[in-house]
């Protein structure tokens, strides 16, 4: 399951520095706009302490974590929706991602040039929001032209539904609101809305890039962003990208832990960001554990057992018979699969079982 989060923001807000911390791929981090022209893609491991604990008990040949792709997209400027800067290239790269990590500069530093001269993350957010909204409005206007006549005179139910969905989006976008602020009364409309792939309908996380002094509690800029995003379905994460780049230089886990403790952080911003991005995409993890490997598998929250079996192999879903399920806590508590079975703590589930985060699964199938 290939899933992508796109890192976006104005030039010189710390996108590429953050990307470098997240990935082994090294994007240029230079003090001028558009140093990142082609989108850099990094495959990022999702931290999951449960894998190591299971491996201690199972002693497998390998441990395989799950991953998310992070795309560093070139900086955007005012007028991108009309082709300014990298314009349409930027917008096309964003359209291909599943979620947006919007990096905002929330620190003062006279040595780092701001494209608009002053530090104002709310203004910066509004610039990018406006460009994405204008592009979405252009898309919606085009769609409305196609179905409006049919919806009003032809008695076509699908055209009428499409027209109603498009109209809701148009009303919001014309008011300067993102498409994600629109709510639908039924699942069908919601599904149809997602299939439009509007830029501002994608889930978004605002990553506030702060200085070292603000790494734990944030600052006035972060407070302003919290206030400005109240009406949105969005998450906010505080990260000090410069510190994260220093942490990445330490060779051992112990050194990184010591550094984090010194500045008052329990976990690195990079680890928190990856986990938050995973959550933003409404993803969860089920586990498999055996002598060959202990492995994490990504699935969408709410999926049933056959769908999750299909993540491993399509044949598993086609020929699904049943799933043998052990709760992670029980596996750790009893120490082995055999002990769990003996204690009667393994359940046998059918096609309607909704898989839970952390379930240790074994699928039975026949093709």
């Amino acid at each position: 399951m290939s899933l992508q989060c796109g890192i976006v923001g104005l030039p010189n807000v710390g996108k590429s520095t953050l990307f470098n911390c997240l990935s082994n791929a090294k994007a240029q981090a230079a003090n001028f706009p558009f140093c990142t022209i082609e989108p850099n893609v990094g495959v990022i491991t999702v931290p999951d302490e449960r894998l190591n604990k299971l491996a201690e008990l199972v002693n497998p040949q390998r441990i395989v974590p799950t991953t998310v792709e992070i795309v560093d997209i070139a900086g955007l400027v005012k007028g991108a929706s009309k082709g300014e800067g990298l314009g349409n290239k930027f917008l096309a790269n964003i359209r291909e991602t599943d979620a947006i990590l919007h990096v905002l500069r929330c620190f003062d530093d006279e040595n780092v040039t701001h494209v608009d001269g002053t530090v104002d993350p709310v203004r910066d957010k509004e610039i990018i929001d406006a460009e994405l909204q204008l592009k979405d409005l252009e898309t919606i206007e085009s769609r409305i032209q196609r179905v409006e006549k049919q919806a009003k005179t032809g008695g076509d139910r699908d055209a009428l539904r499409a027209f109603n969905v498009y109209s809701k989006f148009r009303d919001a976008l014309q008011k300067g609101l993102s498409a994600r602020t629109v709510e639908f009364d039924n699942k069908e409309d919601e599904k149809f809305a997602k299939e439009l792939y509007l830029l501002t309908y994608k889930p978004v996380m605002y990553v506030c890039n702060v200085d070292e002094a603000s790494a734990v509690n944030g600052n006035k800029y972060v407070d302003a962003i919290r206030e400005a995003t109240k009406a949105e379905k969005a998450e906010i994460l505080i990260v000090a990208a410069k510190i994260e780049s220093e942490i990445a230089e330490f060779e051992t886990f112990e050194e990184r832990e010591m550094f984090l403790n010194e500045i008052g952080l329990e976990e690195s911003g990079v680890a928190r960001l990856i986990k938050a991005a995973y959550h933003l995409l409404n993803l969860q993890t089920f586990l498999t554990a055996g002598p060959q490997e202990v492995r994490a598998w990504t699935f969408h929250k709410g999926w049933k057992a056959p769908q999750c079996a299909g993540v491993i192999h399509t044949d598993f879903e086609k020929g699904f018979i049943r799933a043998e399920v052990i709760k992670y806590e029980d596996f750790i508590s009893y120490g082995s699969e055999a002990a769990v079975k003996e204690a009667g703590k393994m359940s046998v589930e059918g096609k309607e079982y909704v898989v839970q985060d952390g379930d240790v699964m074994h699928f039975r199938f026949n093709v």
Side-chain angles (χ1 to χ4, degrees):
M1 185 183 291
S2 180
L3 294 151
Q4 285 191 342
C5 289
I7 298 183
V8 305
L10 291 176
N12 296 348
V13 296
K15 299 187 317 302
S16 296
T17 301
L18 192 59
F19 177 84
N20 289 343
C21 300
L22 286 164
S23 169
N24 289 330
K26 293 294 180 184
Q28 279 184 294
N31 184 21
F32 58 89
F34 308 132
C35 63
T36 310
I37 303 300
E38 294 300 326
N40 294 278
V41 180
V43 180
I44 314 300
T45 298
V46 178
D48 195 333
E49 298 79 6
R50 296 172 298 190
L51 289 172
N52 293 325
K53 290 183 179 178
L54 280 174
E56 287 173 11
L57 299 175
V58 177
N59 195 27
Q61 292 177 23
R62 62 182 179 271
I63 300 172
V64 185
T66 190
T67 60
V68 172
E69 286 186 1
I70 304 290
V71 186
D72 179 23
I73 298 169
L76 171 143
V77 294
K78 193 181 291 185
S81 60
K82 302 299 178 187
E84 293 294 325
L86 296 173
N88 292 327
K89 193 173 184 64
F90 170 95
L91 297 165
N93 291 334
I94 261 193
R95 200 177 295 282
E96 292 167 11
T97 64
D98 299 289
I100 296 171
L101 308 178
H102 186 162
V103 182
L104 295 163
R105 177 172 169 174
C106 294
F107 65 90
D108 293 306
D109 186 341
E110 60 185 23
N111 295 316
V112 180
T113 306
H114 191 288
V115 72
D116 282 325
T118 57
V119 177
D120 185 345
V122 174
R123 176 203 59 208
D124 295 352
K125 170 194 172 307
E126 288 171 351
I127 288 172
I128 286 193
D129 283 352
E131 296 305 324
L132 300 185
Q133 288 162 10
L134 285 168
K135 202 66 184 174
D136 280 348
L137 187 57
E138 189 181 298
T139 301
I140 289 297
E141 293 284 13
S142 171
R143 297 287 186 115
I144 284 177
Q145 284 178 11
R146 289 185 214 167
V147 301
E148 187 169 13
K149 188 175 178 182
Q150 226 176 343
K152 290 182 176 178
T153 61
D156 186 324
R157 279 190 174 186
D158 288 339
L160 183 60
R161 186 187 66 171
F163 178 73
N164 289 335
V165 169
Y166 298 159
S167 296
K168 278 191 172 184
F169 279 138
R170 180 172 64 181
D171 291 346
L173 291 163
Q174 285 177 337
K175 293 173 185 171
L177 300 172
S178 293
R180 74 181 68 87
T181 61
V182 177
E183 294 187 355
F184 295 98
D185 300 326
N186 61 70
K187 293 288 182 184
E188 283 300 309
D189 284 354
E190 197 173 306
K191 184 183 175 187
F192 184 73
K194 284 181 181 176
E195 289 170 357
L196 292 170
Y197 297 104
L198 295 178
L199 302 173
T200 64
Y201 198 63
K202 295 177 185 292
V204 64
M205 183 196 310
Y206 293 106
V207 182
C208 295
N209 184 15
V210 300
D211 53 23
E212 181 175 341
S214 309
V216 179
N217 299 315
N219 55 30
K220 63 180 181 180
Y221 296 128
V222 177
D223 292 341
I225 288 297
R226 285 200 180 104
E227 186 63 31
T229 58
K230 274 183 178 177
E232 289 190 56
K233 301 169 189 171
E235 296 185 28
I236 291 176
L237 189 74
I238 300 170
V239 172
K242 192 174 180 183
I243 290 177
E244 296 299 323
S245 63
E246 291 175 20
I247 293 171
E249 295 300 320
F250 290 121
E251 292 185 4
T252 68
F253 175 78
E254 288 74 22
E255 285 177 314
R256 288 193 291 270
E257 285 291 292
M258 192 180 301
F259 184 80
L260 286 169
N261 290 335
E262 282 177 9
I263 61 175
L265 290 172
E266 293 181 9
E267 190 176 27
S268 77
V270 163
R272 287 185 288 115
L273 188 142
I274 296 167
K275 289 178 181 177
Y278 199 67
H279 178 261
L280 185 68
L281 291 165
N282 206 26
L283 301 176
Q284 292 184 324
T285 301
F286 72 85
L287 309 165
T288 53
Q292 287 192 329
E293 67 179 23
V294 165
R295 183 164 184 161
W297 303 86
T298 297
F299 70 98
H300 285 277
K301 186 177 181 180
W303 274 14
K304 294 180 180 178
Q307 289 173 288
C308 288
V311 173
I312 298 176
H313 198 287
T314 52
D315 285 350
F316 284 27
E317 182 173 7
K318 288 175 187 172
F320 179 87
I321 299 171
R322 65 180 183 272
E324 295 168 357
V325 184
I326 299 173
K327 296 300 175 186
Y328 167 78
E329 293 77 11
D330 288 335
F331 205 119
I332 298 302
S333 177
Y334 289 94
S336 70
E337 184 176 323
V340 171
K341 286 180 180 177
E342 195 175 322
K345 289 290 186 179
M346 187 184 81
S347 64
V348 177
E349 305 290 352
K351 292 182 178 181
E352 295 305 307
Y353 176 70
V354 177
V355 177
Q356 303 299 305
D357 186 60
D359 279 353
V360 183
M361 311 286 291
H362 184 71
F363 298 105
R364 300 290 182 182
F365 70 102
N366 182 31
V367 176

